[in-house]
Amino acid sequence: MMNLPPYHNDQPSWRGYTLEEIQMRRALVRARMEIQKFKMSAQYDDMKQRTPFLGGTSSLISRIAGAFSIAEYAYMGLKVVKLIAPMFRKRK
């Protein structure tokens, strides 16, 4: 990593950064941001492979979703509606 000089606010003769120093600092910040993006992406991919609920072809959710047909989902939906509907009816 490149060692850049510290801020020179304590010196009265300091006139600011040169254009080259500003460009180097910006490039350094951009490089650090790209490295962090890459690290975050790699951590997410690693977590996704280790967690069986999040994703991938071997996740628990995808296995359950692939095991049922559309007719079975409709049948389960009707069962749930019949189970929940009496809770919302008015009592006399």
Side-chain angles (χ1 to χ4, degrees), residues 1-91:
M1 182 165 63
M2 181 178 182
N3 288 329
L4 297 174
Y7 293 107
H8 300 287
N9 293 336
D10 56 344
Q11 297 177 0
S13 64
W14 187 68
R15 295 185 153 236
Y17 293 115
T18 64
L19 185 58
E20 185 179 332
E21 287 175 329
I22 293 171
Q23 290 172 345
M24 289 299 291
R25 287 181 180 270
R26 285 184 178 177
L28 183 64
V29 168
R30 283 190 201 119
R32 286 180 182 162
M33 287 174 55
E34 288 298 320
I35 290 169
Q36 287 301 319
K37 284 181 191 177
F38 179 76
K39 284 182 181 179
M40 287 175 57
S41 176
Q43 287 174 349
Y44 175 74
D45 290 340
D46 184 44
M47 180 190 70
K48 191 174 177 181
Q49 287 185 357
R50 285 187 286 130
T51 306
F53 298 107
L54 287 182
T57 57
S58 64
S59 72
L60 182 64
I61 295 172
S62 66
R63 286 183 184 180
I64 291 172
F68 296 115
S69 68
I70 295 174
E72 290 171 323
Y73 280 119
Y75 179 73
M76 286 189 285
L78 287 173
K79 287 286 191 179
V80 169
V81 168
K82 285 182 181 180
L83 181 70
I84 294 176
M87 296 189 317
F88 294 106
R89 290 188 182 141
K90 291 183 181 180
R91 296 185 184 205

